[in-house]
């Protein structure tokens, strides 16, 4: 259902577990960061992102609570990692990037010539223009 953040969080957590357990594309550092995020009270859920074997974790948090979740992850991450990997060297510090979800993909009209905005050109039209220019120059 629209706006069901708890369900979205459960799906993110299940997706991470599948990537870790079924596909073996996670790593101890990602698992520790994901666990640290999901243990934060204001985090709905988290999963690894990217191609695996290192990379990023995305966490969905209550509105305005991202800084608190980030602080929890920073405080918990190394302890969780070292507990899961006895004798391993201390992992590197995390880079935390906070973002707010936008409205998603949208159709935008091409503005009139007298507007100050640059024209919106669909990517397909740009590719056709570049392909034509490349063909003409060869």
């Amino acid at each position: 259902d629209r706006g069901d953040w708890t369900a979205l969080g459960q799906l993110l957590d299940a997706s991470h577990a599948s990537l870790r357990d079924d596909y073996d594309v996670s790593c101890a550092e990602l698992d520790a960061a994901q666990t640290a995020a999901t243990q934060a009270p204001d985090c709905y859920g988290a999963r690894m992102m990217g191609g695996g074997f290192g990379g990023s974790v995305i966490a969905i948090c209550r509105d305005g609570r991202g800084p608190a979740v980030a602080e929890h992850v920073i405080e918990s991450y190394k302890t969780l990692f070292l507990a899961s990997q006895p004798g391993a060297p201390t992992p590197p510090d995390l880079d935390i990037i906070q973002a707010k979800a936008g409205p998603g993909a949208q159709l935008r009209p091409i503005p009139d010539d007298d507007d100050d905005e640059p024209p919106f050109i669909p990517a397909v039209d740009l590719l056709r223009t570049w392909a034509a220019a490349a063909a003409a120059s060869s």
Side-chain angles (χ1 to χ4, degrees):
D1 288 326
R2 188 176 185 95
D4 189 347
W5 297 106
T6 301
L8 175 61
Q10 292 169 346
L11 290 170
L12 288 173
D13 292 342
S15 176
H16 183 82
S18 176
L19 290 165
R20 180 191 62 226
D21 302 336
D22 298 331
Y23 294 96
D24 288 328
V25 294
S26 191
C27 62
E29 293 85 353
L30 285 174
D31 294 340
Q34 189 269 347
T35 299
T38 58
Q39 289 177 350
D42 293 312
C43 179
Y44 291 109
R47 63 160 278 180
M48 62 165 282
M49 299 295 295
F53 310 110
S56 302
V57 170
I58 183 170
I60 306 298
C61 311
R62 291 190 195 287
D63 193 24
R65 300 300 299 157
V69 172
E71 188 62 33
H72 181 84
V73 170
I74 290 168
E75 291 173 1
S76 304
Y77 162 71
K78 288 184 181 179
T79 302
L80 287 166
F81 173 80
L82 292 172
S84 72
Q85 304 292 311
T90 301
D93 290 337
L94 298 175
D95 291 324
I96 305 282
I97 300 169
Q98 296 183 45
K100 190 167 183 83
Q106 301 174 8
L107 291 176
R108 293 182 50 194
I110 297 175
D112 295 333
D113 287 340
D114 50 345
D115 286 346
D116 289 339
E117 271 189 62
F120 174 74
I121 302 171
V124 172
D125 289 343
L126 282 176
L127 290 174
R128 286 184 189 134
T129 303
W130 289 332
S137 66
S138 52

